[in-house]
Amino acid sequence: MSGRYVVGRAADIPDGGRVLVEVGGRQVGVFNVGGSFYGLINRCPHKGAEMCKGNVVAGLTSPRPGEFDYDEDTALLMCPWHGWEFDVRTGRSWFDPRTRLRTYDVEVTGADQVDGVPHAGRVPGPYTAETVEVGVEDEYVVVDLRKARKAAKTGEGR
């Protein structure tokens, strides 16, 4: 078995759209984000929900009360069970629901970055969703399970 599967025509998955397919005995969500295709195994690394059936939302941050910044270049997949957000492009989680409401001293500093990329106030969560390589060949979307990346905890000491 080659591990490569044609899952449909690229033109049949509109920008912002997705398809769920069964390939190699695994269910994969294939997402079209701005004309680029990304694949995620349809299983939340937190509790096993069918994650690819969740809503895809843009980033929303608030620099101060009453002001909102809408980042339509961000594509976050929300787990339908607990609302965890995963970046469709990388599988990285952006929230840990085990977070407790506590008070802390606050100070204003420069823009924070994660791996050299501004994260607009998001804090990386402890999990990474399992991603698969997706490409377009001769106008057909191809999923390559040979390069699947295992879901892993990204938090230290958790």
Side-chain angles (χ1 to χ4, degrees), residues 3 7 34 38 43 46 52 59 64 95 97 100 104 107 116-117 129 140 142:
V7 298
Y38 303 92
R43 184 177 189 287
H46 172 228
C52 294
R64 63 188 56 79
F95 182 70
R100 303 260 191 264
Y104 295 91
E107 67 179 82
V117 178
Y140 288 92
V142 178

Side-chain angles (χ1 to χ4, degrees), residues 73-138:
D73 292 330
T74 302
L76 300 173
L77 175 62
M78 294 179 63
C79 174
W81 284 3
H82 299 112
W84 283 34
E85 295 175 338
F86 294 87
D87 188 313
V88 171
R89 293 174 177 96
T90 65
R92 176 178 229 160
S93 67
W94 285 105
F95 182 70
D96 180 0
R98 293 174 287 187
T99 301
R100 303 260 191 264
L101 294 176
R102 297 177 61 177
T103 59
Y104 295 91
D105 292 334
V106 176
E107 67 179 82
V108 176
T109 62
D112 290 336
Q113 295 190 354
V114 174
D115 298 331
V117 178
H119 63 78
R122 289 189 177 85
V123 176
Y127 296 102
T128 300
E130 189 172 357
T131 62
V132 296
E133 186 170 305
V134 177
V136 177
E137 297 175 14
D138 297 323

